[in-house]
Amino acid sequence: AQKVTQAQTEISVVEKEDVTLDCVYETRDTTYYLFWYKQPPSGELVFLIRRNSFDEQNEISGRYSWNFQKSTSSFNFTITASQVVDSAVYFCALSEPQTGANNLFFGTGTRLTVIP
Amino acid sequence: DGGITQSPKYLFRKEGQNVTLSCEQNLNHDAMYWYRQDPGQGLRLIYYSQIVNDFQKGDIAEGYSVSREKKESFPLTVTSAQKNPTAFYLCASISAGGWNQPQHFGDGTRLSIL
């Protein structure tokens, strides 16, 4: 079973629009970590945010915000006033420390295109 | 600056040939990982190593081999047994016990078949 589901394969928005990228996860562990990474066209993965399972407080960083809801097993990512530089593939990932290996389980990614 | 260096950036493999992808880190991290990325898919774990001289298979280890003789280095060999090697390969690392820390990634190697 897929541990991390990103149902949106591709999204296109016009510059300055807000956009939300969805992430739904599945785990039986009580302690886990969720991450968002950005992959620009150059290919490297850029870390955006980490959230542990005990901290449901939403977070805002500039134009980025994250909404963590354990009740729905979701960790959604919103970009406000999108810019062309936000165009990339965004990955949500889950880490289950109790497995002992700190392996990351990635979703299939959402390709965001911001049209100028 | 500290980071992860993957080389080469592009690699071509002939049929029946083994090729080795390099991954070096100067972050003093204990654990290192290899992922494979195919178009439209997320990253899938090939192998990982938590300490020197030890490594474990990930979800798609068949057709690949690794070694971890030095803390800084975790090369990946794509063997001729891997029938569909064309993909983007990413190396990552993290310090031991850093379960809540993000993995650091290299810039990747794009492997293609000639």
Side-chain angles (χ1 to χ4, degrees):
Chain A
Q2 190 75 7
K3 284 183 176 286
V4 178
T5 301
Q6 295 179 256
Q8 305 151 305
T9 304
E10 295 189 32
I11 300 176
S12 293
V13 297
V14 177
E15 199 171 20
K16 298 184 182 177
E17 287 184 345
D18 298 349
V19 59
T20 295
L21 310 182
D22 298 333
C23 173
V24 175
Y25 63 91
E26 180 181 332
T27 180
R28 294 182 178 179
D29 292 353
T30 55
T31 302
Y32 54 89
Y33 298 91
L34 295 163
F35 301 81
W36 274 97
Y37 285 87
K38 173 181 180 180
Q39 186 178 42
S42 51
E44 78 277 18
L45 261 70
V46 177
F47 165 72
L48 296 178
I49 191 172
R50 171 195 71 237
R51 174 64 73 226
N52 74 58
S53 52
F54 298 106
D55 181 4
E56 291 193 68
Q57 190 171 17
N58 292 330
E59 182 160 337
I60 298 175
S61 177
R63 295 185 297 106
Y64 295 170
S65 62
W66 290 268
N67 183 359
F68 177 32
Q69 292 195 343
K70 288 179 74 170
S71 60
T72 56
S73 296
S74 65
F75 186 43
N76 297 337
F77 172 31
T78 297
I79 301 175
T80 303
S82 60
Q83 300 176 1
V84 173
V85 293
D86 296 327
S87 297
V89 181
Y90 291 86
F91 289 99
C92 181
L94 167 72
S95 172
E96 298 171 316
Q98 291 175 21
T99 64
N102 195 36
N103 295 343
L104 282 176
F105 298 96
F106 284 86
T108 52
T110 297
R111 179 177 300 278
L112 173 65
T113 301
V114 180
I115 304 166
Chain B
D1 288 344
I4 299 176
T5 301
Q6 288 188 241
S7 61
K9 195 172 181 67
Y10 299 95
L11 186 59
F12 298 91
R13 194 193 90 169
K14 294 180 181 178
E15 293 287 343
Q17 186 182 45
N18 292 354
V19 292
T20 297
L21 284 60
S22 170
C23 178
E24 304 278 332
Q25 54 99 359
N26 61 3
L27 299 166
N28 199 33
H29 284 172
D30 297 281
M32 297 185 73
Y33 304 78
W34 273 107
Y35 293 91
R36 169 178 171 143
Q37 184 180 16
D38 293 282
Q41 298 193 36
L43 279 67
R44 293 183 290 168
L45 183 65
I46 305 172
Y47 268 99
Y48 64 97
S49 166
Q50 293 183 276
I51 57 173
V52 174
N53 292 323
D54 185 61
F55 47 83
Q56 305 295 328
K57 293 182 179 181
D59 299 322
I60 55 167
E62 185 174 351
Y64 300 98
S65 66
V66 293
S67 62
R68 187 84 187 279
E69 297 177 1
K70 298 186 302 181
K71 187 176 183 178
E72 305 79 28
S73 179
F74 190 40
L76 173 73
T77 297
V78 183
T79 74
S80 56
Q82 173 49 249
K83 298 306 179 187
N84 184 24
T86 298
F88 188 55
Y89 292 87
L90 282 159
C91 179
S93 71
I94 192 170
S95 54
W99 308 128
N100 63 338
Q101 300 301 314
Q103 291 184 4
H104 294 254
F105 285 84
D107 290 346
T109 293
R110 196 167 298 279
L111 176 62
S112 302
I113 293 293
L114 281 177

